[in-house]
Amino acid sequence: MEVAGAERLAAAEGLSLVPGDNTTGFKCVSHLSSSSKPYKAQIRQGGKDHRLGTFATAAEAALAYARHLGPAG
């Protein structure tokens, strides 16, 4: 999924993709070097890491993060 597609889905759900100052361009999204789904979304809550999943694109991982945060995020 391209960024524009993820942005459209997020907007339709009342969400926003969260930009980040990293190589993926999205907060809480990182690149895994050798994986069939090379991007992961992960957050830290209550002192623990929570994986939101692995994804084919950074935009898909960013959408998962936005969905986790919800509209108030």
Side-chain angles (χ1 to χ4, degrees), residues 4-34:
E7 287 174 336
R8 278 192 301 276
L9 286 173
E13 296 174 30
L15 308 171
S16 296
L17 302 184
V18 183
D21 187 24
N22 58 28
T23 59
T24 67
F26 298 105
K27 184 175 180 178
C28 295
V29 175
S30 58
H31 185 262
L32 306 169
S33 59
S34 58

Side-chain angles (χ1 to χ4, degrees), residues 53-72:
T54 56
F55 304 88
T57 68
E60 289 175 36
L63 182 57
Y65 177 68
R67 285 175 170 156
H68 180 81
L69 293 177

